[in-house]
Amino acid sequence: MIFKRSRTRSAPQEVPAVIPPGTKAGVKAGSILDPNEPSGPRDTAWQRARDNYRLVSPLNRRKFSIIVVGTGLAGAGAAATLADLGYDVTSVTYHDAPRRAHSVAAQGGINAARAKKVDNDSIHRFVTDTVKGGDFRGRESEAFRLAEESARVIDHMNAVGAPFAREYGGSLATRSFGGVQVSRTYYTRGQTGQQLQVAAASELARQVRAGRVKQYVRHEMVDLIVKDGQASGVIVRHLLTGELKPLLAHAVVLATGGYGNIYFRSTLAKNSNASAAWRAHRRGAHMAMPSFVQFHPTALPISSEWQSKTILMSESLRNDGRIWVPATPGDVRPPNEIPEEERDYYLERKYPAFGNLTPRDVASRAAKEAIDGGFGVGPLKNSVYLDFRDAIARLGLETIASRYGNLFHMYHDATGEDPTTSPMRIAPGAHFTMGGLWADYQLMTSIPGLFVAGEAGFGYHGANRLGANSLLSACVDGWFTIPYTVPNYLAGKLGQPLLDPDDPAVTETMADAYARFDRLLGIGGTRPPRDFHRELGEVLYSGCGVSRTREGLTHAIGAIRDIRERFARDLLIAGPVDRVNQELEYAGRVEDYLQLAELMCVDALEREESCGAHFREEYRSDTGEAKRDDSTWASILAWETGSWDDTPTFTRHVEPLSFEAVPLEVRDYR
Amino acid sequence: MKLTVRVWRQDGPLGEGRFDTREVDGVEPSMSVLELLDRYNHEVVTSGGEPVVFESDCREGICGACGIVVNGRPHGPVKRTPACHQRLNSFDDGATVTIEPFRAGPYPIIRDLMVERGALTEVLQAGGHVHVAAGTAPDADADRITFDTAEQALDFAACIGCGACVAACPNGSANLYLGAKLAHLSALPIPASERGSRARAMLNEADLMFGPCSLHGECAEVCPADIPLVAVSYVNRERLRAGIAGS
């Protein structure tokens, strides 16, 4: 046991590090993982870590090559900053332009514990909110780093051209988000992600033009090159020519985003995928808590088979909209004909203290219970109402329209219905993945030299992410963590040459990649990749979605294996390998999803408690709420999987968690 | 509803193009034109053909990846709306929908509906950025930026980089895109310190690839980010200013 616990201030309910008991059939117990946190008090750990990190002198930096995969906030930030410091950086994206990375789509804002206002915000309150919001399944030490660097993130993004919303007097404007009692969310209209992403892409562009970053656009990472246990490069495929090429480096940073798209219909961009992270996992990087997925309560319901994604409506709508379903199951009357007393405002009924503003996991779960109970509304009975009638009556149409006009427009655009005369219909949609590649405090995965940043990692958010913490974590990783921790790793490698391109580690990984594409193209079946993806999405939504059961998960694993078996036999890919072939790209991603999906279910089955977004129906309190089991499961599970040729084998590693600044407590929103 | 879909097929930048026509039945008015293409492709693929190559990603109007021309208009018939939000309820049952790639000199066709818009990235690389190293920025509250200034910067910063403005312009001018970037950055105090050098770098680069502006105005009509036409005036304004004032 190398977990370093610190004892500085009184730690009222500190939990002893716990190791979960024996594992299920098919799951092997692994080792105890060390997060390599600095010892001592956590609130000053980041400063101590930086003081002790090794440095690379300016003249030696260009001798080190670093590959950064992904150009979202984490990837563009890391690549631009490392290049500016003098390292030889290669940046890879499958987009035609770095700016299109999916960070661009975040709407709400970015949190920062700048504590400029006198609403009594502080670093400690930020950490408390983040740790509690994550239901005590994230690292407290990293929440401190997030809080501490947050002020610099806002300053930097402001300087490089992100126009933040301002008060009339000219100071930065802030707003509040769910699960928080202070105003620390900085924003730019409903396009915060876009403004930060464009600024980040511009920084990257500056380094590309200066010759400090070699940029590969329209290139997809297809595998990781590992030599003697160290990450030594990646293999990329040119998406227009099909050419496979090894890129070699002293360190690799994966900033490739989350995998919510595994659910087929999600709030994510259609091309967002798990492949880079999953390929790294297949080469030995542990995957942490893959079943921790956030479902956004205010997504639009599915209206047709061909609807390609769930459109996300901003959480802010819940400030004035009231959520309800008919009190009688199967009530088919139009909403405006259902009288007040025959409506069930279930969030206000169940959670009077927070009402319609309960956190995302709670609101999504309540909606699912209503829908599953037969109270769902709309043609497919798969949604609940979000009603602005009372708010309009109270404040007037003009006020409500000025607050939500663009969202109403978007809703009308998507559904043809007018939310000012008839309530919106909303439903939970797969959104953000808290799970991801396991990494230590330095963001280094279990493969030395392989780092992970942003949503691709598992980081800060525990079992549930707070609104506006995702942009922040991506920015902190990219600009203010990776640029310290990667050099710390590289300093010990001075003089180490890049891998020889003829090294067997390179040629064998290349051969694997060729073989994989040949195999996929050679199946010659009858069904395109989208069909399998859609099926997988349905299995996951019902088996490993907003709520989970032992039976449901076991059934899902069987169903996933069945899809995987049919995929291997009946996949159809039109077109050849040596030019743009979007079906082939898609097939590779679906093949990876079909493996990751099983691991998600295994992870959810293994964790016999409910916490945050992971709600096991067997583990609930007397009032029906999520019931954590801190005596057994206050830990991060990180998975290693063996061969996938036949029946996969799973090894469960454990990183125990402890909390000293934020006392363990039960979340209660009643 | 049932639509007759004509889609442009082209094997490569120098290939000869043609329209493929197919009737697609059972589509719904709430589907987007991109979902129509998904559906079209499903039928092509399952009947042994090769799918139409087209780009899209976020499908919520912010990534700028989708770049198609529908019935002669970049993105589609509804003004200032991206292709992913162009619904089939714009068309009558039984109508013919013609889908082509963005057509502009600076955008070579890669295949079918996929075009190369790297020219937009190149002008950004030339000067659409700010020289501030990570960690060296001053307090963001130190410079007072008034509400109106921030809002004005945001109006121009809303550009999603789709490049429809260029495709809509008879001259292949990128002045809406360029002007939006110049206007956005010159409104903010720290980025404005490089205003002159930025204008020179971006506009010199752009002059090599894009045509001139003749105030036709079609760019603003198709802009899914609602960039106002006045953005084009910033190109000459910043050009003139950079020439006279220097910096």
Side-chain angles (χ1 to χ4, degrees):
Chain A
M1 237 305 277
I2 6 180
F3 185 69
K4 302 174 196 73
R5 250 187 302 151
S6 51
R7 301 179 179 281
T8 46
R9 69 178 61 74
S10 62
Q13 291 183 39
E14 190 179 334
V15 169
V18 287
I19 313 294
T23 53
K24 314 271 175 313
V27 173
K28 281 195 293 185
S31 50
I32 304 297
L33 298 174
D34 181 0
N36 292 314
E37 293 167 314
S39 54
R42 288 190 180 150
D43 56 354
T44 50
W46 179 228
Q47 184 57 51
R48 276 198 313 290
R50 284 187 289 161
D51 288 346
N52 291 314
Y53 284 156
R54 300 181 64 185
L55 302 174
V56 176
S57 85
L59 289 176
N60 282 331
R61 291 176 192 165
R62 64 187 151 78
K63 297 174 186 165
F64 287 112
S65 297
I66 303 163
I67 294 168
V68 181
V69 186
T71 60
L73 283 173
T81 307
L82 288 167
D84 208 24
L85 290 171
Y87 296 93
D88 174 38
V89 175
T90 299
S91 159
V92 178
T93 173
Y94 58 70
H95 292 283
D96 69 317
R99 66 179 296 153
R100 307 216 198 279
H102 195 50
S103 300
V104 82
Q107 297 171 356
I110 176 167
N111 287 334
R114 290 164 65 86
K116 294 268 183 182
K117 289 185 174 163
V118 290
D119 60 358
N120 211 353
D121 193 11
S122 68
I123 299 252
H124 271 271
R125 287 200 198 272
F126 179 99
V127 170
T128 303
D129 291 339
T130 301
V131 170
K132 269 171 73 174
D135 217 0
F136 298 91
R137 292 296 175 262
R139 279 190 203 133
E140 202 179 58
S141 58
E142 298 216 35
F144 272 110
R145 180 173 68 214
L146 202 58
E148 196 176 330
E149 294 292 8
S150 62
R152 289 210 286 179
V153 166
I154 304 297
D155 293 341
H156 182 68
M157 299 317 288
N158 172 67
V160 296
F164 284 100
R166 297 274 171 167
E167 303 291 355
Y168 280 94
S171 57
L172 289 164
T174 53
R175 59 186 173 196
S176 294
F177 251 58
V180 170
Q181 289 167 308
V182 296
S183 185
R184 69 161 79 98
T185 304
Y186 295 79
Y187 64 99
T188 58
R189 293 183 187 162
Q191 13 170 291
T192 317
Q194 183 204 9
Q195 294 309 326
L196 299 182
Q197 173 61 22
V198 168
S202 305
E203 278 200 81
L204 184 57
R206 176 164 77 91
Q207 301 299 335
V208 171
R209 183 52 65 107
R212 299 191 200 102
V213 171
K214 190 164 196 309
Q215 176 84 66
Y216 285 86
V217 296
R218 297 194 193 274
H219 278 73
E220 181 163 72
M221 172 181 154
V222 295
D223 213 339
L224 179 75
I225 301 169
V226 179
K227 170 74 175 179
D228 298 333
Q230 288 179 32
S232 308
V234 298
I235 292 178
V236 294
R237 178 173 183 269
H238 192 315
L239 297 181
L240 300 186
T241 65
E243 184 198 0
L244 290 174
K245 183 175 181 167
L247 303 176
L248 303 171
H250 297 95
V252 175
V253 180
L254 295 188
T256 51
Y259 50 86
N261 223 10
I262 195 169
Y263 288 83
F264 183 66
R265 289 191 184 99
S266 73
T267 63
L268 272 73
K270 296 307 292 172
N271 292 316
S272 297
N273 65 79
S275 283
W278 188 252
R279 293 283 118 193
H281 173 72
R282 292 287 307 268
R283 294 285 171 193
H286 301 335
M287 184 67 82
M289 307 194 288
S291 68
F292 285 6
V293 179
Q294 182 170 75
F295 291 82
H296 205 292
T298 49
L300 298 192
I302 299 304
S303 60
S304 86
E305 187 198 353
W306 285 92
Q307 187 171 324
S308 50
K309 69 173 294 183
T310 55
I311 294 169
L312 181 61
M313 305 301 288
S314 170
E315 182 162 296
S316 65
L317 289 166
R318 291 199 276 144
N319 279 295
D320 285 306
R322 296 180 72 193
I323 294 173
W324 63 278
V325 291
T328 320
D331 190 337
V332 291
R333 285 176 289 175
N336 291 336
E337 289 173 20
I338 300 179
E340 190 68 15
E341 60 278 10
E342 292 176 42
R343 299 174 171 200
D344 179 13
Y345 295 91
Y346 58 86
L347 283 179
E348 297 171 22
R349 171 171 59 80
K350 287 182 181 173
Y351 308 101
F354 278 69
N356 293 298
L357 275 177
T358 54
R360 290 176 183 179
D361 53 341
V362 176
S364 287
R365 201 145 57 232
K368 181 173 191 286
E369 278 169 13
I371 293 166
D372 288 351
F375 297 91
V377 297
L380 301 178
K381 308 259 173 254
N382 60 353
S383 49
V384 299
Y385 289 126
L386 176 62
D387 201 339
F388 292 87
R389 187 187 66 176
D390 296 349
I392 291 171
R394 192 175 70 249
L395 302 166
L397 181 58
E398 202 178 333
T399 306
I400 293 300
S402 73
R403 285 183 191 169
Y404 308 111
N406 59 334
L407 295 166
F408 287 177
H409 183 79
M410 195 158 112
Y411 183 83
H412 179 262
D413 188 51
T415 63
E417 293 166 22
D418 178 2
T420 62
T421 56
S422 176
M424 279 186 178
R425 286 183 300 109
I426 55 168
H431 185 51
F432 183 92
T433 45
M434 282 75 71
L437 290 177
W438 182 88
D440 67 7
Y441 185 78
Q442 277 62 244
L443 301 183
M444 189 158 85
T445 67
S446 49
I447 301 177
L450 179 68
F451 293 78
V452 65
E455 194 182 341
F458 81 100
Y460 313 88
H461 312 298
N464 177 51
R465 176 180 62 78
L466 285 188
N469 260 1
S470 57
L471 290 180
L472 176 64
S473 52
C475 288
V476 169
D477 284 357
W479 277 277
F480 298 112
T481 306
I482 288 286
Y484 296 102
T485 61
V486 170
N488 174 53
Y489 167 80
L490 292 175
K493 311 278 170 199
L494 195 61
Q496 183 179 305
L498 287 177
L499 206 52
D500 187 327
D502 294 326
D503 189 284
V506 181
T507 54
E508 284 166 16
T509 314
M510 282 287 279
D512 287 351
Y514 280 118
R516 184 176 186 214
F517 289 114
D518 285 348
R519 177 170 49 74
L520 288 171
L521 283 159
I523 295 172
T526 63
R527 298 180 66 207
R530 173 192 294 267
D531 281 13
F532 297 100
H533 190 192
R534 184 188 284 123
E535 262 192 74
L536 174 66
E538 279 161 18
V539 168
L540 281 179
Y541 260 112
S542 62
C544 192
V546 176
S547 62
R548 297 105 191 248
T549 62
R550 192 171 295 114
E551 293 69 35
L553 288 162
T554 310
H555 174 78
I557 290 173
I560 293 163
R561 288 182 177 173
D562 175 56
I563 302 172
R564 207 161 60 223
E565 187 272 322
R566 283 185 285 116
F567 178 90
R569 189 160 44 78
D570 198 22
L571 173 70
L572 163 67
I573 299 176
V577 71
D578 59 352
R579 57 170 161 76
V580 57
N581 189 334
Q582 294 171 323
E583 295 283 284
L584 179 61
E585 294 164 28
Y586 198 176
R589 294 167 187 173
V590 173
E591 186 177 53
D592 291 337
Y593 284 150
L594 287 168
Q595 296 177 349
L596 170 58
E598 179 165 343
L599 181 60
M600 287 168 67
C601 294
V602 168
D603 181 57
L605 199 55
E606 184 79 356
R607 185 174 281 279
E608 295 187 320
E609 66 161 352
S610 294
C611 56
H614 169 67
F615 188 74
R616 283 280 300 267
E617 289 180 16
E618 300 94 337
Y619 308 102
R620 44 168 67 189
S621 67
D622 302 339
T623 52
E625 299 302 317
K627 190 176 178 189
R628 289 198 322 263
D629 177 2
D630 294 324
S631 62
T632 312
W633 294 104
S635 58
I636 290 163
L637 300 187
W639 296 91
E640 188 182 339
T641 53
S643 165
W644 285 84
D645 292 338
D646 189 19
T647 310
T649 54
F650 302 100
T651 305
R652 186 197 74 187
H653 303 286
V654 173
E655 180 197 324
L657 292 168
S658 70
F659 300 91
E660 58 182 46
V662 188
L664 279 161
E665 60 175 73
V666 174
R667 291 163 87 212
D668 187 356
Y669 296 96
R670 285 174 297 142
Chain B
M1 60 196 283
K2 182 178 183 177
L3 295 170
T4 302
V5 185
R6 295 172 73 228
V7 180
W8 186 260
R9 307 299 303 257
Q10 184 170 334
D11 287 342
L14 304 174
E16 211 169 291
R18 64 181 192 283
F19 280 107
D20 271 1
T21 306
R22 181 178 277 268
E23 288 201 341
V24 184
D25 202 356
V27 295
E28 289 164 37
S30 65
M31 284 167 65
S32 70
V33 292
L34 299 181
E35 286 160 0
L36 176 66
L37 279 171
D38 288 341
R39 174 70 191 275
Y40 182 98
N41 271 345
H42 183 80
E43 295 190 6
V44 170
V45 168
T46 49
S47 59
E50 270 195 55
V52 177
V53 175
F54 70 100
E55 288 190 278
S56 77
D57 199 20
C58 77
R59 299 212 177 181
E60 51 188 70
I62 199 75
C63 73
C66 52
I68 55 172
V69 172
V70 182
N71 286 356
R73 280 184 78 92
H75 288 305
V78 182
K79 283 184 181 181
R80 302 186 190 97
T81 301
C84 54
H85 286 170
Q86 297 271 353
R87 307 279 157 190
L88 301 187
N89 58 17
S90 295
F91 310 106
D92 295 328
D93 196 3
T96 297
V97 180
T98 302
I99 305 178
E100 300 166 81
F102 276 177
R103 298 197 186 276
Y107 300 162
I109 291 177
I110 294 169
R111 190 176 177 82
D112 298 340
L113 306 176
M114 183 192 245
V115 296
E116 179 52 62
R117 283 168 284 179
L120 298 172
T121 308
E122 283 172 43
V123 292
L124 186 73
Q125 286 175 355
H129 40 63
V130 187
H131 286 68
V132 177
T136 65
D139 186 334
D141 267 319
D143 266 315
R144 301 273 122 174
I145 301 174
T146 65
F147 177 86
D148 290 343
T149 305
E151 288 298 303
Q152 191 200 336
L154 266 166
D155 285 343
F156 294 114
C159 169
I160 62 171
C162 66
C165 46
V166 178
C169 178
N171 305 333
S173 166
N175 277 19
L176 196 75
Y177 172 82
L178 294 164
K181 179 56 77 182
L182 293 171
H184 151 210
L185 290 178
S186 63
L188 300 170
I190 298 172
S193 59
E194 297 170 51
R195 195 170 164 184
S197 56
R198 173 178 307 118
R200 276 194 295 273
M202 284 182 72
L203 298 178
N204 283 340
E205 184 89 10
D207 286 348
L208 299 175
M209 297 179 287
F210 298 99
C213 172
S214 53
L215 274 182
H216 192 78
E218 190 63 20
C219 50
E221 294 292 287
V222 302
C223 175
D226 242 339
I227 302 294
L229 183 59
V230 70
V232 302
S233 72
Y234 280 81
V235 172
N236 283 341
R237 185 159 138 185
E238 294 296 305
R239 192 194 297 271
L240 207 60
R241 187 189 169 279
I244 294 167
S247 77

